[in-house]
Amino acid sequence: MTQVLSDSVVQMRSLLGAVADLSWAAPAGDVEWSCRDTAVHVADDLFSYASQVIAQPQDNYLPIDVVVDQNATNCQVLEAIGMCGRMLEQAVENALPEVQGWHPYGVSDGPGFAAMGAVEVLVHTYDIARGLGLEWRPPGTLCAPLLGRLFPHAPEGNPTAVFLYCCGRVPLGERPRLEEWAWDSSVPAAR
C-alpha cells in the first residue's frame, strides 16, 4: 500500500505543482476550506497517520499537528506534503506487521494508515483541482486497491467513479451523492 501512497503524492505534486503560481485562496470544490488550507490538511493527515503508526496509541490521536508557515509558497506546501507522505511510507515500511494505532473509523495497521493517507491525497487533489478549475480524476489503478482495503462494501463499477462516490464527491449511476461517508480502517481480519 505504500506504493499507492507514493504514487498518489506524485500525482498531487505533479498536477498542483504546475499551477502553484496561482492563488489557492478559492474554495476546494465543495469542502469548506480554501485550496491552500485543504493542501495543508493533507500534510497534517499524512503526518498524523505516520505518528499513529510510530507511537501506536490505542485510544486517540497524538496531541500534535502540522503547522505550515503562513508565508510558505504553494510549492513549499507541496514539498511539505511530499515530506509527510514519505514519513508515512517509512513509518509503515519499518513497522512490524502487528503494529496498530487508533483511528476513529477503526484501529488500523500500517497498510491501513498508508491507504487512508492515499485516500486523503487523492480525494483532496480532486477537491483542489475543482477549486482551481482543473479537470482531474484519480487514476483507477490507485483507486481500486483503496476501495478493496477501506471500502469493503463499495458497489461494483469503474474504480475511479466508485472511489469518488464512496468519498461523497459524486453520485454513482442512480445512487445519489452520499451526504455522509466513512471508510472502515479496521484491520481486515478484525472485520
Side-chain angles (χ1 to χ4, degrees), residues 5-24:
L5 172 61
S6 177
D7 292 348
S8 298
V9 171
V10 166
Q11 286 275 325
M12 180 182 221
R13 292 183 72 189
S14 175
L15 178 76
L16 300 181
V19 292
D21 58 332
L22 298 178
S23 169
W24 287 9

Side-chain angles (χ1 to χ4, degrees), residues 57-69:
Q58 296 300 303
D59 60 358
N60 216 330
Y61 277 116
L62 295 177
I64 186 169
D65 290 313
V66 165
V67 176
V68 176
D69 187 310

Side-chain angles (χ1 to χ4, degrees), residues 1 10 12 44 48-49 56 58 69 74 76 99 122 131 138 156 158-159 174 189:
M1 202 56 74
V10 166
M12 180 182 221
D44 185 54
S48 295
Y49 294 163
Q56 305 173 53
Q58 296 300 303
D69 187 310
N74 294 334
Q76 289 172 320
V99 164
L122 293 175
E156 295 292 320
N158 173 285
E174 305 228 349

